Amino acid sequence: MLKQNLCDKMYVNKAVSTTFLLLWITQTQDTQSNPSLAFSVTPSSSASTKSLDYFDEEKFISIKLGEEINLSCTNRTWSTMLYDTWGLTNTDKTCRIAHSNSEPPVNNCNDGRILINTTEGRSQLHIPPFNYAYEGIYKCQTAFQHGSHTTVFNVSAIVQPEISGRIEYSTNDNHDMAVCEASNGRPNASIAWTSDENVADKIIYNRNRTFTVESRRIIPYNTSMGNVTCIVSHPYWNESQTYTIPYRRGTEPSKESQWIVLFALIGFFLGYIVCIIVFLLKYKSS
């Protein structure tokens, strides 16, 4: 009886094994005939993937107009580098500059920007005297033994603003107005006052791609304020610049006094004419 049970179990195990073997063979044949049935593993949403726009480093570079500059993608030298390629995207065009150990150099920019080598053997992109046409995105990729490095440069022009100031005298309102202006700068400047009360700012975009910032501060008539000082900050300077606007109460005549002077001049002129007429009449009668 025991022997019979062992035989039955062996028979069942053999049948199960045979069934799994047949299923595996069937699956394999179906997969070969139809690849879409093959098993695949879909990465989870938390898996780290690199898009085509991936880069290792991003830098923001501001260059003064007329200044020459060299950009470096890596500190490695050609002793370990395989190639160095730059994709330049500007306002009016896109071009490429590249150098490789195994391929001829490429440069379809044709605008003075070239790749140069330092005395130490590092590759650099040379930009001639900078102008607005060179603004844009500079994407550099360097390949070397056992790896690569991609850097994106956001390159823009920086222009020093011109500072000026004035007092606008008012007779209709109960205040005067101090105006501080930072004109033709890029990017736009920031203007502050020794006192930030009653201040309004306005930013104007100029046709020459620069910005003008105008800050106006109200000066009440009942103030004992002397000169007015504004403080202008801009990335072009290492330190903020101060500008003093001379202010003296009563330096600008009021409208009432202007009318008085005008009437006085008119009266004097009319009196002069009357005197001349009287003198001529007396001269003729005599």
Side-chain angles (χ1 to χ4, degrees):
M1 187 66 176
L2 179 60
K3 185 177 181 180
Q4 181 65 32
N5 291 335
L6 291 173
C7 289
D8 292 342
K9 290 182 178 180
M10 292 176 62
Y11 177 78
V12 172
N13 291 336
K14 185 176 181 181
V16 172
S17 300
T18 303
T19 301
F20 275 106
L21 179 61
L22 290 174
L23 287 173
W24 181 81
I25 293 173
T26 303
Q27 177 66 37
T28 303
Q29 291 176 347
D30 290 343
T31 300
Q32 291 176 349
S33 61
N34 188 359
S36 64
L37 297 178
F39 292 104
S40 62
V41 178
T42 303
S44 65
S45 59
S46 61
S48 177
T49 58
K50 294 183 179 181
S51 67
L52 295 176
D53 295 329
Y54 172 81
F55 52 85
D56 300 294
E57 188 178 9
E58 185 176 19
K59 297 181 179 180
F60 293 85
I61 306 294
S62 296
I63 306 175
K64 298 177 182 178
L65 291 179
E67 182 180 46
E68 298 187 19
I69 192 172
N70 297 326
L71 300 179
S72 297
C73 190
T74 178
N75 288 328
R76 294 178 179 268
T77 64
W78 279 109
S79 61
T80 60
M81 290 169 52
L82 302 177
Y83 67 80
D84 186 25
T85 180
W86 292 76
L88 313 180
T89 303
N90 305 114
T91 303
D92 55 349
K93 72 174 181 179
T94 299
C95 59
R96 178 172 174 265
I97 304 176
H99 183 76
S100 169
N101 284 331
S102 58
E103 300 291 337
V106 175
N107 187 344
N108 57 11
C109 293
N110 301 320
D111 56 8
R113 292 177 289 185
I114 59 173
L115 281 178
I116 62 173
N117 293 324
T118 66
T119 55
E120 296 84 5
R122 292 196 302 269
S123 179
Q124 292 183 333
L125 177 69
H126 175 72
I127 302 178
F130 195 81
N131 60 68
Y132 288 121
Y134 292 150
E135 289 186 313
I137 305 298
Y138 290 52
K139 187 172 184 179
C140 168
Q141 186 178 52
T142 299
F144 45 86
Q145 298 172 7
H146 311 299
S148 64
H149 186 83
T150 302
T151 304
V152 172
F153 295 87
N154 296 272
V155 179
S156 60
I158 183 171
V159 183
Q160 175 181 213
E162 302 171 1
I163 306 175
S164 61
R166 65 185 183 275
I167 298 292
E168 294 182 354
Y169 295 90
S170 175
T171 57
N172 297 326
D173 303 317
N174 60 346
H175 62 263
D176 295 328
M177 187 75 68
V179 181
C180 185
E181 191 173 87
S183 58
N184 299 313
R186 185 182 176 97
N188 57 282
S190 298
I191 300 178
W193 300 84
T194 51
S195 174
D196 292 331
E197 297 178 356
N198 302 320
V199 173
D201 295 338
K202 180 173 65 174
I203 301 177
I204 303 170
Y205 181 72
N206 304 315
R207 292 184 177 180
N208 61 356
R209 302 185 184 182
T210 62
F211 296 88
T212 294
V213 181
E214 182 185 86
S215 184
R216 307 173 74 87
R217 181 188 175 189
I218 295 175
I219 307 176
Y221 278 158
N222 59 0
T223 184
S224 58
M225 182 183 300
N227 295 337
V228 186
T229 300
C230 62
I231 305 167
V232 183
S233 301
H234 193 270
Y236 193 95
W237 308 307
N238 295 327
E239 297 180 353
S240 299
Q241 308 292 310
T242 58
Y243 187 87
T244 301
I245 307 172
Y247 177 67
R248 294 290 182 272
R249 178 76 64 197
T251 53
E252 184 79 2
S254 63
K255 283 189 176 182
E256 290 79 2
S257 61
Q258 291 178 358
W259 281 112
I260 292 174
V261 172
L262 178 62
F263 284 130
L265 291 175
I266 293 174
F268 175 80
F269 182 73
L270 291 176
Y272 181 76
I273 294 177
V274 170
C275 290
I276 293 177
I277 294 174
V278 171
F279 175 78
L280 291 176
L281 291 174
K282 289 183 176 181
Y283 179 79
K284 286 185 178 181
S285 62
S286 61

